Amino acid sequence: MADSNKGQHFVWKYLPVAALVIWGAFSITNNLWYDEAYSASMVSLPWIRLIYITAVDDHSPFYYILLKLFYHLCGGGTHFWGLKLMSVLFMLGYILLGKYYVKKLFGEKVSVYFMLFSILSPIMSVQAGNVRMYAVAIFFMTLMGLTAYDIYLGATRKKWIVFCAASICTVYCHTFALIQTFLFYLLFLAVLLYTRQKEKIKPFFLCGIIVSVVFSPWLLVTCRQFILRMRYDTGSVAIHPTMYSFMDYCAEWFSALETPIAPVVFLGLGMTVVLGYFAVDWMRREKNYAPAVGMGALGLTVLAGVLISVYVNNCFLGRYAFPGFGFLMLFLAVGFCQIASCKWRFSILAVAVFCFLMQYISELRLEYDRGLETYETFWEEQVTQEDVMIGPFVHAIFLNVYHPELQYYLNGYKSYSIPFVNTDELTNIAQLESVGGNIWWICFQGGTPEALADVYSYEEAVSFHYMYYDFVIYRLEKK
């Protein structure tokens, strides 16, 4: 038993190092997909413009403010390793919560498997290097949940302050993190009432009031965003979730939405069901239902997202529930600790490692895709400062984050929420008459500059594959 505990402690000690190495591989590349490029463009904007765009888009400016500060701390520029590194560091913070806080509350054994399943979970690798707010959100949501259980065991003023501060940061991360926090508060209140811990009701409501007051300025903006989407986003309203949508959720939770691997999805789903059965058995045996409260908040968030998508607006994606995945990792960890059979334990770990390796290799291939080199070579050899680049829609033109000094056009309407700099709308071909250099058209494979064919002839200059996309760039010549 002593040898076993010694080996367990060794693993507990060095798992955060393993997480940093594994996830750190995503922070040294310069490849960005569209949503990441959106974040990269946001941090290059003036503060007022940044806050304005978040006010008319979907999320609060909290994440972008942190990202902008960290971006400039890392030197800025058009190599975006600093943006990826911030996500990795928040994920490392989440792992350290598992190392120290989970150990304090649930013991070292649960802590080890909390960290291990977090590292092996494909969605964690996907989000660890993603330049989006989800790594920040899972850190603060996990801190809030663990602090709530710590308060349940024994409240102090310091714990209530941490709980309140973590809650404020969580609700400002993401709209569905706000929903998940609200649901968690309801469940936490129900637990306090059920266990008759009346002395904790007053500080609980004080925390709730403080969080509500601090978030209230942005709550008005959030409500306005929902109203605008309900009123004008007719496409999303017309499309309702189906069974295929549920499979998309599963693909994102257990694999990756853009590049799902079917065996990883189904094996991950099956492993979760099996460990969930043992987790319930652990809670019954230990008389500790804290993991169920976290899972309740996560499950109700998913249900709320699905109901909003069905009856209001089809806006829910699997990643929106990610801030609560620390609760799922705790659930899996306590379930695994309940398994006595060595064969079962080895089999489950083998499945987890297999799923991790398949998805991790896939993500590394994306992160180290050589398409950006092809694009940069084309740029160095053929593009000048007098050139302009035109795209048929914003998703085809996001590569301008790598060369923001050039003039870009979107053919037709440009949304007020587009953050890409030096990007205007092209509504009249006469706008191109003063161009002193080449005119380029960038689009996805299969597209052509037919919209300008009456005035300009075109020929393909370069085509390349980049992450999820196949691009083609045409050179336009006036007829």
Side-chain angles (χ1 to χ4, degrees):
M1 181 65 69
D3 291 339
S4 177
N5 289 339
K6 185 177 180 180
Q8 174 183 289
H9 185 72
F10 178 84
V11 174
W12 172 85
K13 188 176 182 180
Y14 289 104
L15 273 177
V17 178
L20 182 59
V21 171
I22 290 170
W23 295 336
F26 298 119
S27 68
I28 56 178
T29 71
N30 205 32
N31 285 3
L32 302 174
W33 62 292
Y34 176 79
D35 281 9
E36 293 180 300
Y38 184 98
S39 298
S41 294
M42 289 290 284
V43 300
S44 67
L45 298 176
W47 290 103
I48 298 300
R49 177 66 178 165
L50 184 153
I51 293 174
Y52 169 77
I53 289 180
T54 56
V56 297
D57 192 30
D58 296 320
H59 308 300
S60 82
F62 174 65
Y63 165 73
Y64 297 112
I65 290 173
L66 292 180
L67 189 66
K68 185 176 177 68
L69 292 172
F70 194 79
Y71 170 70
H72 289 296
L73 182 66
C74 293
T78 56
H79 196 290
F80 302 109
W81 63 270
L83 307 184
K84 292 173 176 285
L85 179 62
M86 195 179 93
S87 292
V88 171
L89 291 179
F90 269 98
M91 288 299 293
L92 179 62
Y94 158 80
I95 285 291
L96 292 177
L97 288 176
K99 180 176 182 178
Y100 295 109
Y101 216 166
V102 171
K103 179 182 178 180
K104 174 188 174 183
L105 300 176
F106 297 94
E108 186 174 274
K109 188 176 182 180
V110 174
S111 172
V112 166
Y113 290 111
F114 175 92
M115 291 188 287
L116 184 60
F117 281 114
S118 294
I119 294 171
L120 295 179
S121 178
I123 191 174
M124 297 290 182
S125 290
V126 171
Q127 297 301 338
N130 201 353
V131 187
R132 299 296 287 162
M133 64 283 299
Y134 304 109
V136 179
I138 194 174
F139 171 78
F140 286 115
M141 177 71 76
T142 305
L143 176 60
M144 181 192 71
L146 293 175
T147 307
Y149 181 55
D150 204 4
I151 290 171
Y152 170 82
L153 297 176
T156 64
R157 179 178 295 181
K158 180 180 178 181
K159 293 176 185 178
W160 281 114
I161 292 174
V162 172
F163 176 70
C164 185
S167 300
I168 291 171
C169 292
T170 303
V171 298
Y172 265 110
C173 281
H174 190 277
T175 302
F176 275 93
L178 163 67
I179 294 173
Q180 197 160 184
T181 302
F182 174 74
L183 294 171
F184 183 85
Y185 263 63
L186 291 180
L187 293 173
F188 187 29
L189 176 60
V191 169
L192 295 179
L193 292 173
Y194 180 77
T195 56
R196 300 181 181 179
Q197 299 190 38
K198 297 180 180 179
E199 72 282 0
K200 298 174 183 175
I201 300 299
K202 183 178 178 180
F204 170 84
F205 277 108
L206 180 60
C207 282
I209 291 170
I210 293 173
V211 174
S212 300
V213 170
V214 173
F215 188 75
S216 59
W218 207 259
L219 180 61
L220 298 175
V221 177
T222 302
C223 292
R224 179 177 177 273
Q225 290 168 354
F226 268 101
I227 292 171
L228 288 175
R229 294 197 69 173
M230 290 167 58
R231 184 178 299 170
Y232 298 112
D233 194 358
T234 55
S236 294
V237 174
I239 302 173
H240 297 291
T242 65
M243 182 57 67
Y244 296 104
S245 302
F246 176 74
M247 291 309 299
D248 284 342
Y249 302 152
C250 289
E252 193 153 21
W253 295 334
F254 301 108
S255 180
L257 179 60
E258 288 80 11
T259 53
I261 302 174
V264 173
V265 176
F266 290 109
L267 286 173
L269 181 59
M271 185 176 65
T272 301
V273 172
V274 170
L275 291 180
Y277 168 82
F278 286 105
V280 172
D281 193 45
W282 181 93
M283 290 186 290
R284 177 191 58 79
R285 181 174 59 83
E286 297 290 333
K287 305 298 181 184
N288 184 342
Y289 300 98
V293 175
M295 285 298 293
L298 177 60
L300 289 173
T301 303
V302 173
L303 178 61
V306 171
L307 292 177
I308 291 172
S309 290
V310 170
Y311 294 105
V312 181
N313 185 285
N314 191 8
C315 62
F316 184 69
L317 297 174
R319 66 180 71 107
Y320 292 172
F322 180 72
F325 263 57
F327 302 143
L328 176 60
M329 296 304 112
L330 179 63
F331 199 65
L332 299 180
V334 298
F336 190 83
C337 290
Q338 179 66 12
I339 301 174
S341 169
C342 291
K343 290 183 178 180
W344 271 92
R345 293 163 69 90
F346 177 81
S347 298
I348 291 173
L349 284 179
V351 168
V353 170
F354 171 78
C355 291
F356 163 75
L357 288 176
M358 288 195 68
Q359 195 68 52
Y360 187 68
I361 292 171
S362 174
E363 293 305 310
L364 284 180
R365 287 172 178 165
L366 284 172
E367 285 292 335
Y368 290 87
D369 185 285
R370 304 294 293 271
L372 184 59
E373 293 183 16
T374 303
Y375 177 69
E376 293 287 10
T377 299
F378 157 77
W379 195 274
E380 293 174 4
E381 294 178 352
Q382 301 194 47
V383 180
T384 69
Q385 293 295 321
E386 291 74 29
D387 293 1
V388 298
M389 188 79 72
I390 307 170
F393 45 82
V394 66
H395 278 72
I397 208 169
F398 74 87
L399 291 176
N400 78 342
V401 295
Y402 298 107
H403 297 280
E405 71 281 358
L406 196 69
Q407 176 65 55
Y408 297 84
Y409 287 103
L410 287 176
N411 188 43
Y413 173 73
K414 175 194 171 186
S415 171
Y416 47 78
S417 63
I418 292 176
F420 301 114
V421 298
N422 290 344
T423 302
D424 297 320
E425 56 186 35
L426 180 66
T427 55
N428 191 327
I429 294 182
Q431 293 173 251
L432 303 177
E433 291 180 358
S434 61
V435 175
N438 293 313
I439 300 175
W440 307 96
W441 179 280
I442 183 171
C443 58
F444 294 146
Q445 196 74 44
T448 60
E450 283 297 324
L452 306 182
D454 290 342
V455 179
Y456 291 93
S457 61
Y458 57 87
E459 63 176 354
E460 182 177 320
V462 65
S463 61
F464 58 98
H465 176 80
Y466 174 67
M467 298 192 78
Y468 310 123
Y469 318 99
D470 289 301
F471 284 99
V472 59
I473 299 177
Y474 294 93
R475 186 201 308 268
L476 304 186
E477 295 285 350
K478 196 163 187 178
K479 292 181 178 178

